[in-house]
Amino acid sequence: MIEVRFHGRGGQGAVTAAEILAKAAFEDGKYCQAFPFFGVERRGAPVMAFTRIDDKPIRRRYQVYKPDYVVVLDDGLLEVVDVFSGLKEGGKVIINTSNGVETSKGAEIHKVDATGIALDILGVPIVNTILLGAFAGVTNAVSIDAIIKIIKETFSGEIGEKNAKAAKLAYEAAKKG
Amino acid sequence: MVLKVMSANQAIAEAVKLANPNVIPVYPITPQTTISEYLAKFVADGDISAEYIRVESEHSAISAALGASGTGVRVFTATSSQGLALMHEIIFAAAGLRAPIVMADANRALSAPLSIWNDQQDSISERDSGWMQVYAENGQEALDSILIAYRVSEDHSVLLPSMVCIDGFILTHTVDPVDVPGKGDVDKFLPPYKPDHAYLDPKRPMSIGTFTDPNYYMEARHDMELALVGAKDVIAKANAEFAEIFGRTYDFIEKYRSDDADTIIVAMGSICSTIKDVVDEHRDNGEKVGLVRVRVFRPFPTKEIYEAIKGASNIGVLDKNISFSVGGVLHNEINAKMDVKANGFIVGLGGRDIKPTHISEIIEKTKNTTKTTQWIGLNKEEL
C-alpha cells in the first residue's frame, strides 16, 4: 500500500489534490481512498489530506502517520507543521518552494517552483495540479495520463486544459530531475 | 457493476436521486453540507423532480419533512450534530405520527466544547425516539442503506422513519470506489410510495396529530413498539431481496472471523474497517480474535448479537458516545439484554483518531473481563 500525506492551507486545494490522485490511481486500475483533515474551517489554516493506493480494496480509515510520500503545497508550513513526521525510510517529499529548504531530516526532497509555473500558465498561484504532475514524475506511483484525465474531468474547459498543461510541465521537469 | 470514486455524502445523494423523493427540505451543516449541495444541483439540473425547500433551520427541515410526509409522499432530509439536536422535538413527533421519512445523519460530536468532528453521540441520543437506525461502514453501504431504509420505512406494517448514520469526515468526506446501481434495478426493489393509511388529502378531510387523552396514548406507543420490533422481519426480507437484485448482502450484524473467536470486539460504523485489518494481524499471530459489527441499532438485534458473541470468553464493546455515569450505550444495552460480561471502551469522541494500536490495546484489555468502562486514546498529559 502506498500512503501519501498532503500539507496545505485552507483554500489551496490540498483536499482536491488528494482526491484527484485517488481517482487517477483508480483510473490506473488500483484501489484508492482519499480524505481530508481540517484544522479549522477557514482559508489559510493548515490542512492535511491523505491518499491511499493499493492493489486490494482498502479498509483502514485512520489518518496516515507513516507516509511513503509527502506533498507540501506551501513552504511557509515548514515553520509551523512537522511535514516530515513519520516519513518512511526511503520516503520522498515534494515541496513547492522557490527558496532553499532545510533538508536536515535526511529525507529525499524534491523542490518544485509550482507557484512560478502556476503564475506563468494559470495566471493565479494555485499549485495543487502542478504538484500532482511532479508527484507522478518523482514517484511513478500514478501515471501522468491518468492525472491529466482526472484534472480535465475535475475542471472543465479552459481551466482544465491549462491545469493539465501545467501538470505535464511539472511532470517532465521532475522526470529530467 | 461500474465503480466510481466518490464520497459517502455523494453516494447518499446518488441514492436519494434513485429513490426519487417528492420533497427534500434540508438545512446545511458540516459535515452533511455536500449532501444538501449535491441534491440542490440534481434538482436544479432537472435530474430529479423533487421540491427542494431551503428552510431556515433544522427544526424547520424536519417539520417540513413531516408535513410533506403527512400528505403521503416520499421525503428525504439530512443533518448532523447540533442540527439533529435542534430537530429533537419533531424527531419524536415524526415517529409518533408514523411518517416514513428517511434521513441521513452525518455523525458529529455535540457541543460543548464545539467540535465539527466525528463521534456518534448525536444519533445515539435519539435512540428512544422510535426511528430505525442503521450505521454504515463505508460509502457503498451508505448508498445501499438509503434504498433499503425506504423499503422498510414505507412498508405498511412498519411506517416508522429511518436514520442512516455515516461517520462525519471519516465517511462523509472520504472518497473511495462505489457502485451506483441502475435506475431499473432500483425501481424493481423500491416501487413508488403508495400510502393507504392516514394522510392529508382535501378530497378526504381528516386530522392528524391530534390531542390524545390518557385513554389512547399508551396504545399509540404500544403500537410503535410492536411496529419497531416487527420491522425486523421486514428488514430481513428487504435485505434478502436487495441481495438478489444487487448482489450485496446486508444483515442486522456482520460477523468477521468471529465464529471461533475467543475474543470478540463489537462496534458500529466506519471504525469496523480498521478493526478488520487489526483482526487479520492478530489472526496472523495465531490469536482467535473476531469482530461483530452492529449495523442495525434500532430495532436492536438482541438475538443476533447474543448468538454471535455468547461463545467468546472476552468481549469488548466500542462506543463513540457516552451516557455519563453509565458508560457507552451499546456496551450497556448488550450487558443489560444478554447473559454476557462485556467490557466497555469509550473511543473516538470529537474526532479523536482511532489507530490500530488502540484496537490492539482494547483486545488486550478485554482479556480481563470486568464489565467496566475504560476510555481509550486519552492524552495522558491533558489529564
Side-chain angles (χ1 to χ4, degrees), chain B residues 67-362:
Chain B
S69 184
T71 67
V73 300
R74 185 170 288 166
V75 180
F76 177 81
T77 188
T79 192
S80 178
S81 180
Q82 305 306 120
L84 184 59
L86 186 57
M87 287 181 174
H88 179 74
E89 181 189 19
I90 310 302
I91 289 290
F92 277 67
L97 288 173
R98 313 294 298 272
I101 298 164
V102 171
M103 172 162 73
D105 179 51
N107 281 120
R108 165 184 150 182
L110 284 168
S111 275
L114 176 63
S115 168
I116 58 165
W117 291 282
N118 167 246
D119 64 35
Q120 295 170 344
Q121 190 74 54
D122 55 354
S123 53
I124 290 291
S125 298
E126 302 298 335
R127 71 188 181 278
D128 300 335
S129 61
W131 284 57
M132 290 178 277
Q133 285 195 359
V134 174
Y135 289 79
E137 182 183 347
N138 51 45
Q140 185 69 64
E141 191 180 328
L143 187 155
D144 295 341
S145 297
I146 292 283
L147 301 175
I148 296 169
Y150 275 114
R151 252 297 286 269
V152 176
S153 277
E154 292 172 359
D155 189 284
H156 291 165
S157 72
V158 180
L159 291 174
L160 287 168
S162 287
M163 209 179 286
V164 174
C165 304
I166 54 172
D167 284 316
F169 291 107
I170 304 167
L171 293 183
T172 60
H173 286 62
T174 297
V175 299
D176 54 13
V178 173
D179 169 44
V180 180
K183 180 78 177 130
D185 283 343
V186 172
D187 288 346
K188 257 190 280 174
F189 177 73
L190 183 65
Y193 173 43
K194 285 206 181 68
D196 71 349
H197 60 293
Y199 61 94
L200 299 171
D201 180 354
K203 288 187 220 110
R204 201 188 57 150
M206 70 168 75
S207 296
I208 292 178
T210 54
F211 175 83
T212 303
D213 72 24
N215 286 320
Y216 298 102
Y217 184 87
M218 269 186 85
E219 283 67 26
R221 302 307 272 184
H222 187 239
D223 278 352
M224 284 171 69
E225 168 70 4
L226 294 179
L228 189 61
V229 172
K232 282 190 71 180
D233 291 341
V234 179
I235 293 169
K237 191 162 165 267
N239 285 341
E241 226 172 283
F242 190 91
E244 207 170 286
I245 296 175
F246 302 100
R248 288 187 288 273
T249 307
Y250 296 105
D251 208 336
F252 295 96
I253 62 168
E254 179 194 359
K255 294 188 279 182
Y256 185 78
R257 306 186 79 168
S258 64
D259 279 346
D260 66 337
D262 49 36
T263 299
I264 290 180
I265 300 298
V266 185
M268 300 199 294
S270 63
I271 186 57
C272 294
S273 292
T274 299
I275 296 173
K276 287 173 183 173
D277 274 6
V278 178
V279 163
D280 285 357
E281 281 167 26
H282 283 262
R283 284 274 174 181
D284 288 347
N285 294 334
E287 297 167 59
K288 287 188 175 177
V289 177
L291 163 74
V292 170
R293 177 170 73 94
V294 177
R295 200 180 96 76
V296 178
F297 178 64
R298 287 292 187 271
F300 193 63
T302 306
K303 181 171 150 279
E304 288 78 3
I305 297 173
Y306 182 60
E307 290 297 324
I309 65 174
K310 68 178 184 189
S313 325
N314 319 306
I315 301 162
V317 183
L318 273 59
D319 275 283
K320 284 185 180 181
N321 67 79
I322 171 77
S323 181
F324 293 108
S325 82
V326 174
V329 168
L330 181 62
H331 169 226
N332 276 282
E333 292 191 346
I334 284 174
N335 274 340
K337 297 283 286 181
M338 301 166 206
D339 181 22
V340 295
K341 272 176 147 184
N343 285 356
F345 298 93
I346 306 295
V347 295
L349 301 188
R352 177 65 46 85
D353 204 22
I354 306 168
K355 302 175 195 175
T357 48
H358 293 136
I359 305 299
S360 291
E361 184 186 342
I362 288 166

Side-chain angles (χ1 to χ4, degrees), chain B residues 24-42:
Chain B
I24 305 173
V26 278
Y27 190 81
I29 178 170
T30 299
Q32 162 266 36
T33 301
T34 55
I35 296 179
S36 322
E37 290 173 349
Y38 284 117
L39 292 173
K41 187 173 188 316
F42 290 158

Side-chain angles (χ1 to χ4, degrees), chain A residues 1 15 18-19 22-23 26 30-41 58-65, chain B residues 3-5 30 116-117 137-138 169-171 173-177 256 270 273-274 276-277 280 353-356:
Chain A
M1 183 183 298
V15 178
E19 289 187 7
K23 288 175 181 173
F26 189 69
K30 306 279 180 61
Y31 286 93
C32 65
Q33 177 193 77
F35 57 104
F37 181 76
F38 298 110
V40 288
E41 296 178 290
I58 299 163
R59 290 190 302 210
R60 63 189 58 180
R61 290 187 180 276
Y62 51 94
Q63 292 168 28
V64 169
Y65 295 99
Chain B
L3 292 171
K4 270 182 70 183
V5 179
T30 299
I116 58 165
W117 291 282
E137 182 183 347
N138 51 45
F169 291 107
I170 304 167
L171 293 183
H173 286 62
T174 297
V175 299
D176 54 13
Y256 185 78
S270 63
S273 292
T274 299
K276 287 173 183 173
D277 274 6
D280 285 357
D353 204 22
I354 306 168
K355 302 175 195 175

